[in-house]
Amino acid sequence: MPAEQPGRRERKNAETRRALAEVAERLFLEKGYDQVGIREIADAVDISVPTMFRHVPDGKEALIFDDGVERRESLLAAVRGRPADRSLLAALREFMAGRGPFLTDPSPEVRRRTELIMDTPALREYSRRLWIRCEEPLAAVIAAELGREPDDITARAIARYVLEIPQFVGGEPDPRAALDAVFTLLEHGLPGTN
């Protein structure tokens, strides 16, 4: 059975949300995040400020992010759908390596957007909140994969550590090397302590 197509209202809302995101990103890149006001963004899309907040209730920082559903679902799929010979942590490392500051050869657009997020404290913190929203479902998937109870402290710790990585090392001079160092630590422990 084919998926039900969104109605006119849903399509119009999605179109407005997309326009807001495009305008906000363009203005943030041109002027700097702190130099752009909510009214300027709303005016550029020809809507009122209250209408803008109906589309983006989390405020200005949420404008260039989606709602986090894709992030969560693809993160969980990376664990659930990994090949039988790939460890849970290897799958999570691979997933993270394909995101934002960890990409080895991003397009110029992705590079500018990533730099905007990483260089703007409010955007970086909002991104962190989106990652942390994934903690409970990721911990549950990890626990299931390990054959443990859903509230297992080890699964929760792994989820928390992994989800803090973008905030923790995304600003390093070589974010990919820092990502690999953290995952090596998670996978093998601290060298010389065995």
Side-chain angles (χ1 to χ4, degrees):
M1 174 181 260
E4 191 174 311
Q5 295 297 316
R8 182 178 179 174
R9 174 177 279 181
E10 290 83 12
R11 289 191 314 270
K12 183 72 173 155
N13 285 342
E15 183 181 306
T16 301
R17 178 68 173 85
R18 194 171 25 260
L20 284 166
E22 289 170 4
V23 164
E25 185 171 334
R26 179 179 52 79
L27 290 171
F28 294 162
L29 288 168
E30 285 173 7
K31 298 179 175 187
Y33 175 83
D34 292 325
Q35 307 313 312
V36 178
I38 294 292
R39 179 169 303 284
E40 183 176 4
I41 296 165
D43 288 348
V45 180
D46 197 27
I47 62 174
S48 69
V49 170
T51 299
M52 188 180 103
F53 279 113
R54 279 197 301 275
H55 289 281
V56 189
D58 285 350
K60 187 169 94 167
E61 37 301 298
L63 283 166
I64 65 169
F65 295 97
D66 63 16
D67 61 6
V69 172
E70 179 277 331
R71 178 184 309 228
R72 183 188 67 235
E73 294 306 312
S74 57
L75 176 64
L76 300 179
V79 174
R80 290 182 183 132
R82 74 188 191 283
D85 63 341
R86 183 170 298 135
S87 75
L88 192 144
L89 285 171
L92 287 168
R93 180 194 296 227
E94 183 178 310
F95 173 82
M96 285 294 187
R99 305 297 285 208
F102 307 116
L103 290 169
T104 54
D105 192 24
S107 69
E109 296 81 24
V110 170
R111 183 182 318 279
R112 282 192 303 272
R113 187 173 195 278
T114 299
E115 287 171 356
L116 173 68
I117 293 167
M118 297 309 294
D119 294 342
T120 306
L123 295 177
R124 194 167 174 174
E125 179 55 30
Y126 190 83
S127 178
R128 179 182 178 272
R129 287 196 313 264
L130 289 175
W131 282 115
I132 295 303
R133 287 181 193 167
C134 301
E135 184 177 339
E136 188 175 321
L138 179 58
V141 167
I142 291 170
E145 293 290 318
L146 297 174
R148 298 183 181 184
E149 293 298 315
D151 64 345
D152 178 74
I153 189 66
T154 304
R156 289 177 30 221
I158 292 169
R160 170 61 64 95
Y161 297 154
V162 167
L163 296 172
E164 289 286 0
I165 290 172
Q167 177 76 10
F168 183 60
V169 301
E172 290 291 312
D174 185 348
R176 183 60 178 268
L179 172 79
D180 289 337
V182 170
F183 270 101
T184 297
L185 175 65
L186 290 174
E187 291 172 316
H188 305 291
L190 194 60
T193 59
N194 295 340

